[in-house]
Amino acid sequence: MLHSQPAQPARVMVVEDDSATRLLFCKAIEAESSLHLSASCGNVAEALAWLSANECDLLLTDLGLPDGSGLAVIEACRGWHPQANIMVTTSSSDEIGRAHV
């Protein structure tokens, strides 16, 4: 009888500059057994550095970051890890309209 391997938790990267919001996302991810928090970054530079050397299955990113746009993080993730799913979080409706990637 063959036993299937248990599914590996999805590797999640969080990019959010607001530390309270980032902590909330991270705690929710850590509480879910089907998810694994792989990285937590507060700006574009940190996120790009991590993405260039690591993989994720799910990117959860804010669009408004202190050193640039989350769109740059999304574009880099798509280039380096095209299999990754991407979710956008933002508090500005203006940013949502520009997020056609």
Side-chain angles (χ1 to χ4, degrees):
M1 174 184 255
L2 294 174
H3 294 282
S4 62
Q5 293 288 332
Q8 294 295 318
R11 299 165 294 181
V12 182
M13 175 184 195
V14 174
V15 184
E16 169 61 59
D17 63 315
D18 180 76
S19 59
T21 302
R22 187 171 61 245
L23 181 61
L24 181 68
F25 287 151
C26 291
K27 285 186 179 246
I29 291 163
E30 290 171 333
E32 174 54 50
S33 64
S34 65
L35 301 175
H36 169 74
L37 181 63
S38 294
S40 172
C41 302
N43 60 51
V44 173
E46 287 179 310
L48 295 180
W50 190 89
L51 280 169
S52 70
N54 300 278
E55 292 187 36
C56 66
D57 300 307
L58 174 63
L59 167 65
L60 176 62
T61 186
D62 188 4
L63 291 180
L65 298 167
D67 60 341
S69 172
L71 294 175
V73 178
I74 292 169
E75 290 170 4
C77 185
R78 283 198 167 178
W80 288 321
H81 314 294
Q83 83 292 347
N85 291 302
I86 298 170
M87 293 179 64
V88 172
T89 65
T90 189
S91 60
S92 169
S93 60
D94 290 343
E95 291 172 343
I96 293 172
R98 293 191 308 262
H100 297 290
V101 292

